[in-house]
Amino acid sequence: MSKIISEISKTGWRFNNSYVRLPEMMFSRLNPVPSKAPKLIILNEILSEELGLNFSDVKDDHLALMFAGNLLPQGSECIAQAYAGHQFGYFTILGDGRAIMIGEHVAKNNKKFDIQFKGSGQTPYSRDADGRAALGPMLREYIISEAIHSLGIPTTRSLAVVTTGESIIRETFLPGAILTRVASSHIRVGTFQYAAIKGDINSLKTLVNYTIDRHYPNLKNLNNPTLGLLNTVMEKQIELVTHWMRVGFIHGVMNTDNMAISGETIDYGPCAFMDTYNPETVFSSIDHNGRYAYFNQPGITKWNLLRFAETLLPLIHDKKDKAIEIAEETINNFGTVYKKCWLKMMCKKLGLFEEVIEDETLINDLLTWMKQNKADYTNTFCSLSKENVLKDKLFQDSKFLNWYQRWQTRLTQNKKSKQLSLNLMCSVNPLVIPRNYKVEEALDAASINGDLVPMYNLLEVLKKPYDNRQEIIAYQSP
């Protein structure tokens, strides 16, 4: 055992744990529940290198023990975080019910990252659940989070997945697994909701100061750093949801506990990428009213930010009415800022420089046509960058041809070369996304048959989503 510990100690872990210095009501100290017979399924070697970690001299069996939490790296301090959240609009007290943060690793660029084991056993916040996770969902998060990263969208990352050697019961018996998630932090809107509901103004202030120190130290010199935090988080979330809309991503469960203050995509549950363009598309089986549908994501982002603002009121101004007025003034800017960002993004998808007033109509007319004709969201924008786009039967439609001529006329107003417009389109329109059926094929092969090849192949294709390569053709069909 000492030899294994020695191997692990040489991999480059550098823990500098700060969250454990917050008020103890914000977390519980406990270690992961040991796994029966952990086995390494996948290790993200590229991310390992970025983190300054070198696992090349550690045997897979020993890595499995580490990523299962049976053997913890030196310097780790394990906690489960407490938080609250509005889940589908209803407030509840939550917490890490099946996750343990083992510490904050300092990478070679001195940037700090939370290292969290997801599926690592029961915690004080498990609410009678088993605290474990199944292999399929953990591999899904690995695939989708790494795809989102390759698309250039802020996200938590996935470092490793191990099986536990135990079965867990859901609708049937499933192989248990643990995902190692890497995040700038796990501070959520729900973290602030938890601190606020406790009614301890000093703890809330400590959390605000901690968040600013960790993520946005430039705000410390403002007259009102708390208001600066609200503004900055709003900007980050607008940037994030605009990216989601760009690639047709639907998060599926935009509860306030799934909104990270860092502006990263977090928690990949019933998420997916849209095939046929339909703004009402949902991917959560319990989202019967479309609360988290594709088109509703900006509105829910604003709603979540309102909940965030509510927690900050005592620190925005000492008079409640004035604090509400200031917070509302900030959040009321959301629509204007989002629309500006969305329009700029959509113009890029069409290769348009320096937006003009007619662009919004041009964009919306295309989206309307796509919905009416059940066109594939990703492939439509890919096709627009091709010289022979009009040869496709789908585009031999009078409404599209009329739109196409208007678009061509608009392109001539760019005062840029056609190649520059094409380059702009290619930089924001992915050629390949993780199609849901391809993800499911890979997960079924891994979970049911123990065949990891489809998953490895899919991950390889998703590494370079903007590059036109022969091997992506099989992954482009809806």
Side-chain angles (χ1 to χ4, degrees), residues 208-328:
V208 168
N209 291 337
Y210 174 80
T211 303
I212 289 173
D213 282 339
R214 181 154 181 182
H215 290 296
Y216 310 113
N218 57 302
L219 301 179
K220 287 191 286 188
N221 296 324
L222 297 180
N223 291 332
N224 193 333
T226 304
L227 182 60
L229 179 63
L230 177 59
N231 272 296
T232 301
V233 172
M234 185 172 77
E235 291 169 3
K236 289 285 186 179
Q237 292 298 329
I238 287 174
E239 177 189 357
L240 180 62
V241 77
T242 302
H243 272 304
W244 290 355
M245 305 301 276
R246 172 174 67 85
V247 299
F249 176 71
I250 302 166
H251 184 282
V253 191
M254 291 177 65
N255 297 326
T256 54
D257 54 294
N258 290 336
M259 178 179 276
I261 299 301
S262 63
E264 293 178 327
T265 312
I266 189 171
D267 255 19
Y268 292 89
C271 63
F273 287 74
M274 181 168 54
D275 288 330
T276 299
Y277 178 73
N278 181 353
E280 297 178 6
T281 304
V282 297
F283 274 102
S284 172
S285 60
I286 62 174
D287 191 3
H288 304 298
N289 298 316
R291 178 180 176 86
Y292 300 141
Y294 172 77
F295 81 103
N296 216 25
Q297 292 182 132
I300 288 298
T301 300
K302 180 181 177 180
W303 193 90
N304 288 348
L305 287 166
L306 279 166
R307 307 289 76 78
F308 180 49
E310 287 171 353
T311 70
L312 302 176
L313 291 178
L315 301 179
I316 289 176
H317 199 279
D318 54 7
K319 293 182 179 179
K320 186 176 181 180
D321 289 347
K322 184 63 176 177
I324 291 173
E325 179 186 337
I326 294 170
E328 284 183 343

Side-chain angles (χ1 to χ4, degrees), residues 30 33 83 87 93-99 119-134 166-170:
L30 74 165
V33 177
Y83 48 85
Q87 298 196 317
I93 300 296
L94 301 162
D96 288 330
R98 59 172 180 172
S120 54
Q122 288 184 321
T123 76
Y125 316 107
S126 296
R127 296 184 293 178
D128 298 324
D130 60 13
R132 289 302 194 183
E166 304 160 3
S167 294
I168 63 169
I169 303 174
R170 296 299 180 254

Side-chain angles (χ1 to χ4, degrees), residues 55-275:
F55 300 119
S56 59
D57 294 330
V58 184
K59 295 178 180 178
D60 284 359
D61 289 349
H62 299 168
L63 286 176
L65 290 171
M66 181 183 70
F67 286 120
N70 290 25
L71 282 177
L72 293 167
Q74 187 176 3
S76 58
E77 290 183 80
C78 298
I79 61 170
Q81 292 179 326
Y83 48 85
H86 276 89
Q87 298 196 317
F88 291 89
Y90 300 98
F91 183 79
T92 185
I93 300 296
L94 301 162
D96 288 330
R98 59 172 180 172
I100 298 288
M101 188 173 82
I102 68 166
E104 300 158 33
H105 169 69
V106 182
K108 52 188 177 183
N109 59 359
N110 285 323
K111 189 175 179 181
K112 184 178 284 190
F113 295 93
D114 282 1
I115 308 297
Q116 185 192 74
F117 291 163
K118 186 174 178 180
S120 54
Q122 288 184 321
T123 76
Y125 316 107
S126 296
R127 296 184 293 178
D128 298 324
D130 60 13
R132 289 302 194 183
L135 177 60
M138 295 304 95
L139 290 178
R140 172 182 282 276
E141 176 155 344
Y142 189 106
I143 293 168
I144 304 297
S145 64
E146 289 306 297
I148 287 283
H149 171 72
S150 296
L151 287 163
I153 301 174
T155 180
T156 59
R157 303 282 303 278
S158 296
L159 181 57
V161 174
V162 299
T163 49
T164 61
E166 304 160 3
S167 294
I168 63 169
I169 303 174
R170 296 299 180 254
E171 294 178 353
T172 183
F173 286 95
L174 298 170
I178 297 172
L179 169 85
T180 301
R181 181 158 68 190
V182 178
S184 294
S185 83
H186 285 84
I187 307 170
R188 316 152 186 261
V189 168
T191 311
F192 283 82
Q193 290 181 294
Y194 183 84
I197 203 70
K198 292 295 182 180
D200 184 346
I201 190 69
N202 290 326
S203 294
L204 179 63
K205 189 172 185 178
T206 298
L207 178 61
V208 168
N209 291 337
Y210 174 80
T211 303
I212 289 173
D213 282 339
R214 181 154 181 182
H215 290 296
Y216 310 113
N218 57 302
L219 301 179
K220 287 191 286 188
N221 296 324
L222 297 180
N223 291 332
N224 193 333
T226 304
L227 182 60
L229 179 63
L230 177 59
N231 272 296
T232 301
V233 172
M234 185 172 77
E235 291 169 3
K236 289 285 186 179
Q237 292 298 329
I238 287 174
E239 177 189 357
L240 180 62
V241 77
T242 302
H243 272 304
W244 290 355
M245 305 301 276
R246 172 174 67 85
V247 299
F249 176 71
I250 302 166
H251 184 282
V253 191
M254 291 177 65
N255 297 326
T256 54
D257 54 294
N258 290 336
M259 178 179 276
I261 299 301
S262 63
E264 293 178 327
T265 312
I266 189 171
D267 255 19
Y268 292 89
C271 63
F273 287 74
M274 181 168 54
D275 288 330

Side-chain angles (χ1 to χ4, degrees), residues 359-419:
D359 288 345
E360 186 175 358
T361 301
L362 185 71
I363 292 162
N364 284 324
D365 286 350
L366 173 63
L367 295 175
T368 298
W369 177 86
M370 288 169 64
K371 181 182 178 183
Q372 291 172 345
N373 290 270
K374 297 180 171 58
D376 183 81
Y377 183 77
T378 300
N379 289 346
T380 296
F381 285 101
C382 292
S383 296
L384 291 176
S385 63
K386 299 176 183 176
E387 291 285 347
N388 60 349
V389 58
L390 297 181
K391 292 183 179 180
D392 191 310
K393 185 178 180 181
L394 175 66
F395 301 115
Q396 293 171 9
D397 170 271
S398 59
K399 289 184 178 180
F400 178 81
L401 292 172
N402 175 269
W403 178 89
Y404 184 81
Q405 290 304 318
R406 289 162 54 203
W407 177 50
Q408 292 298 302
T409 300
R410 170 64 181 88
L411 284 171
T412 63
Q413 300 172 23
N414 271 338
K415 298 178 182 178
K416 304 271 187 180
S417 70
K418 192 171 183 179
Q419 187 59 50

